[in-house]
Amino acid sequence: MSRRLYALVLLTLVAACGRGGGVGESPDGLNNACTILSQRPGYLRAFKATERKWGVPVHVQMATIYQESKFDSDARTPFRYTLGVIPMGRISSAYGYSQALDGTWEEYQAERGQNRARRDNIRDATDFMGWYMVGTRDRLGIPLHDARNQYLAYHEGRTGYKRGSYRAKPWLVGVSAKVADRAETYRRQLRSCS
């Protein structure tokens, strides 16, 4: 095999391994739940499975994923820079559809026996969200349909939410209101999807 062909095959294999198993790019039309689900039928199956298993409504899952990753399976937080130009790692370990942090994801994997679960897999990401939101309901009393407060607890962590850390972050309170509005919009749209 020639060196060029060998290099091309190797490069192709390396690139394929790095994809992470997700679909990568976001679907088009993120403001319309029906458009999203028509482009990615597997999403609806994942959302419905999580709704059946954990009780988290589809529209709450969708609004949370929209806010966290815009439905990008490979979403990551931005890099931090020193002196404005030297990359010093990412802002956090958040990754995938649900933007779960390494530690919280590992806790989910251990507790649920999901060692092969991946944050860039929509089924695993929605199952994680269901697990996390049910824990939030059980520990903090936040109903599963309350997208605003579930999102605040999701973003700040349950301890941060309980302490009220979000109150010092007006931008986050605004974001949580947008998540609630988007959840309501998705809920209305989902009633008319065929």
Side-chain angles (χ1 to χ4, degrees):
M1 189 180 302
S2 75
R3 280 186 149 161
R4 280 192 178 157
L5 183 57
Y6 180 75
L8 182 62
V9 169
L10 185 61
L11 182 63
T12 303
L13 286 172
V14 169
C17 291
R19 277 296 306 147
V23 294
E25 292 182 14
S26 304
D28 295 324
L30 294 180
N31 291 324
N32 188 304
C34 299
T35 301
I36 294 167
L37 298 177
S38 70
Q39 292 174 61
R40 305 282 199 285
Y43 284 9
L44 183 58
R45 289 189 294 274
F47 295 138
K48 289 286 193 182
T50 294
E51 185 176 49
R52 281 190 303 274
K53 182 176 181 178
W54 299 105
V56 178
V58 169
H59 60 278
V60 173
Q61 295 174 60
M62 289 184 74
T64 303
I65 287 178
Y66 173 90
Q67 184 58 45
E68 291 297 289
S69 67
K70 305 291 188 282
F71 294 90
D72 178 354
S73 66
D74 298 323
R76 294 181 186 274
T77 58
F79 281 104
R80 287 179 297 192
Y81 292 91
T82 299
L83 303 174
V85 293
I86 303 168
M88 298 300 293
R90 298 203 179 265
I91 292 171
S92 79
S93 64
Y95 174 67
Y97 289 110
S98 62
Q99 289 295 284
L101 298 170
D102 288 352
T104 312
W105 187 260
E106 289 163 6
E107 180 184 340
Y108 159 75
Q109 287 179 306
E111 187 176 307
R112 301 294 307 156
Q114 300 283 357
N115 294 335
R116 291 185 169 198
R118 297 165 57 139
R119 291 177 275 185
D120 62 357
N121 178 297
I122 191 67
R123 278 191 161 275
D124 295 335
T126 58
D127 190 66
F128 165 82
M129 286 175 49
W131 167 81
Y132 193 86
M133 289 180 175
V134 163
T136 298
R137 179 201 62 198
D138 294 349
R139 293 180 190 151
L140 301 175
I142 301 172
L144 297 175
H145 65 273
D146 183 349
R148 178 188 177 277
N149 286 299
Q150 279 285 351
Y151 181 75
L152 287 170
Y154 192 84
H155 186 278
E156 294 296 278
R158 295 181 192 121
T159 303
Y161 180 88
K162 194 171 184 177
R163 281 191 301 228
S165 60
Y166 60 90
R167 291 186 190 108
K169 300 175 183 177
W171 63 269
L172 180 58
V173 173
V175 167
S176 70
K178 288 179 183 176
V179 170
D181 289 345
R182 182 169 297 278
E184 180 56 26
T185 298
Y186 282 164
R187 186 187 67 75
R188 284 193 313 270
Q189 291 168 345
L190 287 166
R191 287 189 302 207
S192 65
C193 293
S194 53

